[in-house]
Amino acid sequence: MAEKNQFLSVRGITVEYTQGKNIVHAVNDVSFDLEKGKTLGLVGETGAGKTTIAKTILRILPVPPARFKGGEVWLDGKNLTALSEEEMRKVRGNQIAMIFQDPMTALNPLMTVGDQIVEVLQIHNPHMKMEEAVGRTKELLEMVGIVGERYKEYPHQFSGGMKQRVVIAMALACSPDLILADEPTTALDVTIQAQVLDLIKELQTKQNTSMILITHDLGVVAETCDTVAVVYAGEVVEYASKEDLFRHTKHPYTKGLFNSIPSLTGDETRLTPIPGLPPDPTHLPEGCRFAKRCPYATKGCFHMEVPMKEVAPGHYCRCLRETEEG
């Protein structure tokens, strides 16, 4: 599924966390591709491993307790997992930037928002003069809809939506090739969510930036993404273009996610939730990780290894039922 000639190729990454005497199997042999200028959505329940995947790409996992067990991340032909820490610092913020989930904690409350953006610019452009950095900072703030003169203000003087715009401006400071957006609209109300998503798409189009969007909102996926990887218990269980995933859903977990969405046109009186809970990541079951919650599970699902299979051109699924039918 992953190839080196893609702009971004994530190949077989595996990450564990140590929790006392237990080992949390957070990400297990995950692979996917991303083309230049496109957006990939990582979808799944809380705790599925989506943020860990993004932090692995950027190599900002907290060590300990995290441990990178294996795999490769290729960005534009360069193996990021083979770079030294010093080389990786030049990549962070410059080639890859991350929009963190909570703007309240992503910003330093003791520094003005302008100083925080200026710091990013000067780290990656050591010869940039202060006047030039301040001018660029004002441009970035205005680009995200904030009056440039507010660069002297502190984070507490901004609303939640404005803080998120500042975080986006910081991420775009060095015109990165790849943005990792970790649920950038979760803490915002619906109106501001739409504004922030429109802003990200507009800036992405202008700069031809690629993006990985982490979300559990399929509405956001429909609005923003080109391809989608559905993550469950640390594995990608379905991977396809947005159109193919929505029209020809294959994996029972993905079908369960769609069945949990209220319809404006249907006459259902109750939603159909997915029964049960995700498996304990410290004691993952054999066979299919979704088997205990799956209405189609057979005996083989609980014991047989379930590989990813291409069930249609460009559409991959990790399901024995699809394998047998295909």
Side-chain angles (χ1 to χ4, degrees):
M1 183 165 62
E3 300 176 2
K4 291 183 185 179
N5 60 2
Q6 291 284 346
F7 170 69
L8 175 73
S9 288
V10 174
R11 308 168 70 199
I13 60 172
T14 300
V15 178
E16 296 176 348
Y17 289 94
T18 303
Q19 192 178 64
K21 295 182 180 180
N22 295 320
I23 295 177
V24 177
H25 303 280
V27 176
N28 306 289
D29 194 25
V30 165
S31 300
F32 56 80
D33 294 332
L34 178 61
E35 295 179 21
K36 180 66 175 171
K38 300 294 185 180
T39 298
L40 167 72
L42 286 183
V43 181
E45 293 171 89
T46 299
K50 306 183 299 295
T51 299
T52 297
I53 292 170
K55 289 184 175 181
T56 303
I57 293 171
L58 200 53
R59 282 181 49 184
I60 56 171
L61 288 169
V63 181
R67 181 169 53 180
F68 179 68
K69 294 286 291 180
E72 295 178 337
V73 178
W74 291 81
L75 179 70
D76 206 14
K78 182 191 299 182
N79 185 1
L80 299 185
T81 53
L83 298 182
S84 67
E85 180 58 27
E86 184 178 350
E87 290 171 323
M88 195 62 203
R89 283 197 197 102
K90 297 176 182 177
V91 173
R92 297 188 194 108
N94 197 24
Q95 289 179 273
I96 307 176
M98 189 160 181
I99 301 172
F100 291 93
Q101 182 172 352
D102 185 3
M104 313 295 180
T105 57
L107 295 170
N108 186 337
L110 302 179
M111 294 175 65
T112 66
V113 297
D115 285 344
Q116 294 182 59
I117 298 174
V118 165
E119 183 179 46
V120 173
L121 290 166
Q122 291 189 320
I123 285 174
H124 293 286
N125 303 278
H127 302 297
M128 180 179 282
K129 294 180 180 179
M130 178 57 75
E131 296 80 6
E132 186 181 351
V134 170
R136 173 63 176 155
T137 296
K138 290 181 179 180
E139 287 178 13
L140 287 163
L141 289 174
E142 289 174 359
M143 190 186 299
V144 297
I146 298 175
V147 178
E149 295 307 315
R150 295 193 69 183
Y151 83 99
K152 294 180 180 179
E153 296 182 11
Y154 289 84
H156 73 269
Q157 295 175 276
F158 291 81
S159 67
M162 286 297 188
K163 283 191 184 79
Q164 190 62 284
R165 288 168 183 260
V166 171
V167 172
I168 292 170
M170 193 179 300
L172 295 171
C174 296
S175 300
D177 300 314
L178 173 64
I179 294 175
L180 308 175
D182 187 2
E183 301 194 29
T185 61
T186 298
L188 309 177
D189 62 65
V190 177
T191 305
I192 303 300
Q193 277 188 27
Q195 291 177 3
V196 169
L197 287 174
D198 288 342
L199 172 65
I200 291 174
K201 286 195 296 182
E202 181 184 344
L203 297 174
Q204 188 183 8
T205 302
K206 285 181 180 178
Q207 300 186 17
N208 195 32
T209 305
S210 303
M211 181 167 68
I212 293 178
L213 178 66
I214 297 170
T215 184
H216 53 259
D217 189 334
L218 289 168
V220 172
V221 169
E223 182 73 19
T224 311
C225 300
D226 299 294
T227 54
V228 186
V230 180
V231 185
Y232 182 79
E235 292 183 332
V236 175
V237 295
E238 189 162 5
Y239 174 87
S241 68
K242 173 183 64 181
E243 292 79 7
D244 205 18
L245 187 87
F246 276 62
R247 293 173 183 168
H248 308 290
T249 310
K250 299 293 184 181
H251 198 278
Y253 175 62
T254 313
K255 292 178 181 178
L257 293 179
F258 280 110
N259 289 337
S260 302
I261 301 173
S263 172
L264 296 177
T265 56
D267 56 359
E268 299 90 350
T269 56
R270 294 182 66 87
L271 299 178
T272 307
I274 302 173
L277 296 170
D280 181 355
T282 63
H283 297 91
L284 290 173
E286 293 182 26
C288 175
R289 308 255 167 97
F290 188 64
K292 286 187 177 180
R293 306 174 73 186
C294 181
Y296 311 108
T298 62
K299 288 184 178 179
C301 297
F302 291 91
H303 306 290
M304 295 176 61
E305 182 180 348
V306 187
M308 285 287 276
K309 180 187 176 184
E310 190 172 17
V311 294
H315 193 146
Y316 296 81
C317 183
R318 191 185 298 272
C319 179
L320 286 179
R321 183 164 172 259
E322 289 296 328
T323 301
E324 291 166 359
E325 290 181 359

